[in-house]
Amino acid sequence: QVQVKESGGGSVQSGGSLRLSCKVSGYTYSSKCMAWFRQPPEKEREGVAVFCVDDGSEYYANAVKDRFKILQDSAEMTVALQMNNLQPDDTAIYYCATGVRGPWQYTHSWDFWGQGTRVTVSS
């Protein structure tokens, strides 16, 4: 079975930085892609970034592409999300996903999800 676990959330001031981590275990798919989504309070879950371990490809949502970076961490199925210049609009529960089978930006394209980690940015 596949297990997805996020960590690294917390509370920061506007302009600060935070680094999230996602660890996937039990993964057996050929394509090893991992994505970050976020869900602000009272809003829909939205795609943030995706990284594919097998070919190193990465994609970003327009709202974060100038400030966030997704990268492979110390293990093959472990990725980090480096978030710089955080703003209050970045406040959300951040989720990690894997097992992609469609366009990465949509929640229905991913089969496995973590439980989320909270990020709060104060002004």
Side-chain angles (χ1 to χ4, degrees):
Q1 60 187 39
V2 177
Q3 185 175 49
V4 183
K5 183 65 177 294
E6 308 96 336
S7 62
S11 181
V12 298
Q13 292 286 312
S14 179
S17 298
L18 202 61
R19 188 181 181 95
L20 308 182
S21 182
C22 174
K23 170 64 178 178
V24 175
S25 60
Y27 186 79
T28 59
Y29 288 169
S30 296
S31 181
K32 297 178 172 60
C33 298
M34 304 172 68
W36 287 98
F37 285 72
R38 67 185 183 185
Q39 187 165 12
E42 302 181 29
K43 295 183 179 180
E44 298 290 326
R45 192 172 300 183
E46 61 185 12
V48 176
V50 62
F51 177 81
C52 292
V53 175
D54 49 4
D55 63 5
S57 61
E58 55 191 274
Y59 305 94
Y60 298 89
N62 289 335
V64 308
K65 63 174 57 178
D66 295 327
R67 300 180 294 118
F68 292 10
K69 177 71 174 180
I70 188 170
L71 65 158
Q72 185 176 1
D73 216 326
S74 59
E76 181 177 81
M77 291 302 291
T78 303
V79 296
L81 183 68
Q82 179 65 47
M83 305 184 293
N84 297 322
N85 192 23
L86 285 161
Q87 301 298 313
D89 284 348
D90 297 315
T91 295
I93 305 297
Y94 283 72
Y95 298 89
C96 182
T98 193
V100 67
R101 50 184 176 86
W104 76 268
Q105 303 95 326
Y106 303 105
T107 60
H108 64 254
S109 295
W110 300 85
D111 285 337
F112 308 106
W113 293 83
Q115 293 183 330
T117 185
R118 180 183 295 272
V119 171
T120 301
V121 185
S122 59
S123 59

